[in-house]
Amino acid sequence: QVQLVESGGGLVQPGGSLNLSCAGSGFYFSIYDLSWYRQAPGKERELVATISDSGDSTNYADSVKGRFTISRDNAKNTVYLQMNSLKAEDTAVYYCKTTLIFDYWGQGTQVTVSS
């Protein structure tokens, strides 16, 4: 079955960095676009970044442009989100998602930015 498993979250101080990973299995990983979303307490889930199947095309939410970088390694069936210059408002649960016929989500990883 299709599975997405995120890792790499944690507690970091403002200005710090984290690198999230999302490992996919149960589907032909390299032919699907992948996305990172996040959901802060009391807020709706929002799109953070998307990467095309080959990795040649990426898109970012305005709030993270210049600070976050999405990438993928199709040989490892893994998508990454490098997060730099983190702010308190980046605190959220981060999810990866892919769409085959249906949307598939990972279980999420908590990112907390606090001093």
Side-chain angles (χ1 to χ4, degrees):
Q1 69 277 23
V2 175
Q3 281 194 316
L4 295 168
V5 180
E6 301 96 337
S7 61
L11 174 63
V12 62
Q13 291 186 344
S17 298
L18 282 174
N19 190 26
L20 306 183
S21 300
C22 173
S25 61
F27 66 105
Y28 198 16
F29 186 89
S30 62
I31 67 170
Y32 292 99
D33 296 354
L34 288 148
S35 299
W36 284 98
Y37 283 73
R38 67 186 181 187
Q39 187 166 20
K43 295 189 177 181
E44 293 188 354
R45 193 170 295 189
E46 64 172 351
L47 177 63
V48 174
T50 297
I51 188 165
S52 63
D53 54 357
S54 64
D56 290 344
S57 178
T58 59
N59 287 286
Y60 297 91
D62 288 343
S63 58
V64 307
K65 279 181 183 176
R67 300 188 298 122
F68 290 11
T69 303
I70 189 171
S71 62
R72 65 191 294 163
D73 185 341
N74 285 341
K76 296 183 178 179
N77 284 7
T78 301
V79 62
Y80 304 96
L81 186 68
Q82 176 66 43
M83 307 187 294
N84 298 328
S85 302
L86 283 162
K87 305 174 182 179
E89 52 263 44
D90 295 317
T91 295
V93 178
Y94 284 72
Y95 301 89
C96 61
K97 190 202 85 170
T98 193
T99 301
L100 284 61
I101 298 175
F102 304 106
D103 288 343
Y104 291 89
W105 297 85
Q107 83 288 350
T109 186
Q110 175 71 48
V111 171
T112 302
V113 184
S114 175
S115 55

